[in-house]
Amino acid sequence: MTTFASAQDPLPSWNDGKVKESIVAFVENVTKVGSADFVPANERIATFDNDGTLWAEQPMYFQAFFIFDRIKTLAPQHPEWKTKEPFSSVLNGDLKTALAGGEHALLEMAMATHAGMTTEEFEAIVTDWLATATHPTTKRPYTEMVYQPMLELLAYLRANDFKTFIVSGGGIEFMRPWSERVYGIPPEQVIGSSIKTKFELRDGKPVLVRLPELNFIDDKEDKPVGINQHIGRRPIAAFGNSDGDLQMLQWTAAGSGPRFCLYVHHTDAEREWAYDRESKIGRLDKGLAEAATKGWTVVDMKRDWTPIFPNENE
Amino acid sequence: MTTFASAQDPLPSWNDGKVKESIVAFVENVTKVGSADFVPANERIATFDNDGTLWAEQPMYFQAFFIFDRIKTLAPQHPEWKTKEPFSSVLNGDLKTALAGGEHALLEMAMATHAGMTTEEFEAIVTDWLATATHPTTKRPYTEMVYQPMLELLAYLRANDFKTFIVSGGGIEFMRPWSERVYGIPPEQVIGSSIKTKFELRDGKPVLVRLPELNFIDDKEDKPVGINQHIGRRPIAAFGNSDGDLQMLQWTAAGSGPRFCLYVHHTDAEREWAYDRESKIGRLDKGLAEAATKGWTVVDMKRDWTPIFPNENE
Ligand SMILES: [Ca+2]
Ligand SMILES: [Ca+2]
């Protein structure tokens, strides 16, 4: 339990200690008029990784569960999938074999399930899936696998005139249908990986058709590229959980003036998952070392967060 | 002179008439709580073309003047340009020949002048150029070749909780250094054409290097593509001046609920320029026809705007 639980506390799910103090000190510092570190509101840009930073990512990225469910749904229209990997393994429930092909296999499955429809049709597919799909071990809806302390942090930053952005390796159109409702982050502040789209007039009605062609992978060295493309100015605060966020944090830290970089370290095997240097998903290795060297804030989930999920004790 | 000049008039440079009435009626309609056409603030997205819609574009796109000036500045480092078209013609002051190669020649010159430096270096180059460059016929700084009525319209929409975006075929990083100061539009709400960038660590310092490789041309059919990529939801209002904006207006108009589409028609050869169906720059042909068919608003600059530029009578 947090011992600092006044009505005014904007971060009630964060336990007292140096991590919470570092966040509050940064925000108070950049928002205090007359402070040498004051940052005008229009420059208060904060970027957040999604998987493992705003919501969980174990035992697999949640978008992978979406892909597998789509393959099962679409299988009747694709008889060839019965004998074609990685699709056949998905249909046989053997996800380990399906994922044995690594990133290439996942990309092939993503293209087969994320393209070929209009943007509006895809938005409806994602929305419908999220309304009924549940996490395999917790049985929670995926949108309730978000981190309560991070929801509070997003709201706290916005209350201090920060503009909050998602910068995720996940699909941009997979996140946008629910990011505003769940995180308070509108679609125009979501940056992610994308496929190409094409404008068409169908019976005089304009549509955007999703093509099975990569447009952008928003990960690692390309997170700063995506940030520059979409935002056009450097964040003053960045939040991630893996080595895939390292360049985003480096890019953020390298700006002049006050900067805040934070890693979420997954340390709670009981309430969530514990993983870092050896994990295939969300590996945090180089990032931990650089955080120590540069004095970035590292959240110890077990120590710093109570609760982890919303309505955790219900 | 406008006859409707009260202290409350949010659009004092717009003359009374059906055009001004159509704008005010739309804004009052979508912002009136309880109205059947009420649109929540987060969905009030308005997109604006830039060249010929927010600032002038004659006798050439202003970015072309920037390119020519850059070629002259960089010429000492490129002795080969003395004998290489289109560069040699630019250096000889023969812009007509330089542009004879059409879009391909312009693109070649853009790549030679817009790539090879970091994003921060390019921002400084644009800022420095704008501080001293002046328009060849009016002798005004380019940032004073903006349309006063459109500045008022942007402010009026924002005062009614619209989020205003630029959606331009011009270079995204050519516009961002001044869009906030001049239009009140922050860099994260600027969409434009772009080249690719690459993240690098130079002596441990992260930079984004601009590469001579096209990323996206934000024109015609790709304006809705760019809008979807950056904003992720459909505008309820769109403003343009040429056939290059037609698909953006079609995409906007095709959404459900109230929509507003407007073309700026250049009709004032005395105070600005008069051009439409036959113009090489900013051709407005199909767009005029479709505006008539669909009942979109068409600004007659001569009739509807007084003044056209800020401080016009100084
Ligand atoms: Ca992550
Ligand atoms: Ca234009």
Side-chain angles (χ1 to χ4, degrees):
Chain A
M1 287 292 292
T2 173
T3 55
F4 174 40
S6 78
Q8 269 75 44
D9 184 4
L11 301 172
S13 300
W14 293 73
N15 292 325
D16 286 347
K18 61 182 180 165
V19 165
K20 182 172 182 168
E21 282 162 18
S22 73
I23 295 170
V24 173
F26 172 75
V27 171
E28 291 183 347
N29 191 26
V30 299
T31 56
K32 189 175 174 183
V33 179
S35 153
D37 285 341
F38 178 77
V39 176
N42 58 344
E43 292 172 19
R44 292 180 203 156
I45 302 290
T47 54
F48 290 80
D49 170 59
N50 185 39
D51 299 304
T53 299
L54 295 179
W55 74 355
E57 59 181 351
Q58 298 288 359
M60 278 192 300
Y61 295 128
F62 297 169
Q63 193 171 358
F65 290 116
F66 170 71
I67 289 171
F68 298 150
D69 283 349
R70 289 304 299 161
I71 288 174
K72 290 171 202 158
T73 303
L74 294 169
Q77 299 157 48
H78 292 274
E80 76 279 10
W81 285 354
K82 279 185 195 157
T83 54
K84 189 186 176 194
E85 288 293 357
F87 302 95
S88 55
S89 289
V90 172
L91 296 175
N92 292 330
D94 180 1
L95 301 184
K96 199 176 164 188
T97 303
L99 290 171
E103 202 163 294
H104 176 78
L106 197 61
L107 203 59
E108 188 180 355
M109 291 187 279
M111 290 300 175
T113 52
H114 285 54
M117 70 292 282
T118 69
T119 49
E120 291 193 323
E121 288 164 352
F122 186 71
E123 180 181 348
I125 289 167
V126 172
T127 302
D128 290 350
W129 180 76
L130 278 174
T132 58
T134 54
H135 188 274
T137 60
T138 70
K139 309 301 178 195
R140 282 176 165 245
Y142 289 104
T143 49
E144 292 181 20
M145 297 288 289
V146 298
Y147 302 134
Q148 176 64 26
M150 296 304 279
L151 297 182
E152 294 167 8
L153 177 56
L154 287 166
Y156 174 54
L157 290 172
R158 288 192 295 261
N160 283 280
D161 290 334
F162 279 75
K163 217 170 194 176
T164 53
F165 287 80
I166 290 174
V167 179
S168 168
I172 192 168
E173 302 302 3
F174 178 71
M175 297 181 282
R176 281 172 161 167
W178 51 274
S179 63
E180 189 158 36
R181 176 174 58 85
V182 174
Y183 298 136
I185 296 178
E188 63 268 25
Q189 287 160 223
V190 177
I191 304 170
S193 298
S194 58
I195 57 177
K196 292 195 186 292
T197 64
K198 185 176 184 297
F199 179 90
E200 275 182 22
L201 287 176
R202 289 187 175 171
D203 298 327
K205 188 186 172 231
V207 293
L208 289 172
V209 182
R210 293 170 58 80
L211 306 178
E213 188 183 344
L214 264 183
N215 181 57
F216 184 64
I217 299 279
D218 188 44
D219 199 22
K220 302 187 180 75
E221 288 83 0
D222 280 333
K223 284 206 174 188
V225 169
I227 287 170
N228 184 63
Q229 179 71 24
H230 281 254
I231 307 179
R233 63 181 143 204
R234 199 188 294 249
I236 66 167
F239 304 82
N241 80 303
S242 82
D243 286 353
D245 301 310
L246 182 55
Q247 289 84 358
M248 174 170 77
L249 270 59
Q250 289 172 335
W251 176 245
T252 299
S256 61
R259 302 282 150 169
F260 188 80
C261 291
L262 179 149
Y263 262 127
V264 173
H265 189 187
H266 293 260
T267 53
D268 195 328
E270 277 184 39
R271 296 185 302 161
E272 208 242 3
W273 288 271
Y275 57 97
D276 46 35
R277 296 181 193 279
E278 305 297 327
S279 179
K280 279 194 178 174
I281 289 169
R283 181 192 307 259
L284 179 60
D285 180 15
K286 289 179 186 168
L288 267 186
E290 190 147 338
T293 309
K294 296 201 172 162
W296 296 341
T297 295
V298 178
V299 169
D300 178 331
M301 282 175 77
K302 188 169 184 171
R303 177 194 65 191
D304 293 316
W305 286 2
T306 303
I308 289 178
F309 297 115
N311 312 313
E312 194 165 86
N313 300 320
E314 280 182 7
Chain B
M1 286 293 290
T2 172
T3 55
F4 174 40
S6 78
Q8 271 73 44
D9 184 4
L11 301 171
S13 300
W14 293 73
N15 293 325
D16 287 346
K18 60 182 179 166
V19 165
K20 182 172 183 169
E21 282 162 18
S22 74
I23 295 170
V24 173
F26 172 75
V27 171
E28 291 183 347
N29 191 26
V30 299
T31 55
K32 189 175 174 182
V33 179
S35 152
D37 285 341
F38 178 77
V39 175
N42 59 344
E43 293 172 19
R44 291 180 205 155
I45 303 288
T47 54
F48 290 80
D49 170 60
N50 186 39
D51 298 305
T53 298
L54 294 180
W55 73 354
E57 61 181 349
Q58 298 289 357
M60 279 192 301
Y61 295 129
F62 297 170
Q63 194 171 359
F65 290 115
F66 171 71
I67 289 172
F68 297 148
D69 283 349
R70 289 304 298 161
I71 289 174
K72 289 171 202 159
T73 302
L74 294 169
Q77 300 158 48
H78 292 274
E80 76 278 10
W81 285 355
K82 279 184 195 157
T83 55
K84 190 185 175 194
E85 289 291 359
F87 302 94
S88 56
S89 289
V90 172
L91 297 175
N92 292 329
D94 180 1
L95 302 184
K96 199 177 164 188
T97 303
L99 290 170
E103 203 164 294
H104 175 78
L106 198 61
L107 204 59
E108 189 181 355
M109 292 187 280
M111 290 300 175
T113 53
H114 285 55
M117 70 292 285
T118 69
T119 49
E120 291 192 324
E121 288 163 352
F122 186 72
E123 181 180 348
I125 290 168
V126 172
T127 302
D128 290 349
W129 180 78
L130 278 174
T132 58
T134 54
H135 188 274
T137 60
T138 70
K139 307 302 178 194
R140 282 176 165 246
Y142 289 105
T143 50
E144 292 180 21
M145 297 288 290
V146 299
Y147 303 133
Q148 176 64 26
M150 296 304 279
L151 298 181
E152 294 167 7
L153 177 56
L154 287 166
Y156 175 53
L157 290 172
R158 289 192 294 260
N160 283 281
D161 290 334
F162 279 75
K163 217 170 195 177
T164 53
F165 287 81
I166 290 174
V167 180
S168 168
I172 191 168
E173 303 302 3
F174 178 72
M175 298 181 280
R176 281 172 161 167
W178 50 274
S179 63
E180 188 158 36
R181 175 174 58 83
V182 175
Y183 298 137
I185 296 178
E188 63 267 26
Q189 287 160 224
V190 176
I191 305 170
S193 298
S194 58
I195 58 178
K196 291 194 187 292
T197 64
K198 185 176 183 299
F199 179 90
E200 276 182 21
L201 287 176
R202 289 186 175 173
D203 297 327
K205 189 187 171 231
V207 294
L208 290 172
V209 181
R210 293 170 58 80
L211 306 177
E213 189 184 343
L214 264 183
N215 181 58
F216 183 65
I217 299 278
D218 189 43
D219 198 22
K220 303 187 180 76
E221 288 82 0
D222 281 333
K223 284 207 173 188
V225 169
I227 288 170
N228 184 63
Q229 179 73 23
H230 281 254
I231 309 180
R233 63 180 142 205
R234 199 188 294 248
I236 66 167
F239 304 82
N241 80 303
S242 82
D243 287 352
D245 302 310
L246 182 55
Q247 289 84 358
M248 173 170 76
L249 270 59
Q250 289 172 334
W251 176 245
T252 300
S256 59
R259 303 283 151 167
F260 188 79
C261 292
L262 179 149
Y263 263 127
V264 173
H265 190 187
H266 292 260
T267 53
D268 195 327
E270 277 182 39
R271 295 186 301 161
E272 207 242 2
W273 287 270
Y275 58 97
D276 47 35
R277 297 182 193 277
E278 304 298 327
S279 180
K280 279 193 178 173
I281 290 168
R283 181 192 306 260
L284 180 60
D285 180 15
K286 289 180 187 168
L288 267 187
E290 190 147 338
T293 309
K294 296 202 173 159
W296 296 342
T297 295
V298 178
V299 170
D300 178 330
M301 281 175 77
K302 188 169 184 172
R303 178 194 66 194
D304 293 315
W305 286 2
T306 304
I308 289 179
F309 297 116
N311 313 314
E312 194 165 84
N313 300 319
E314 280 180 7

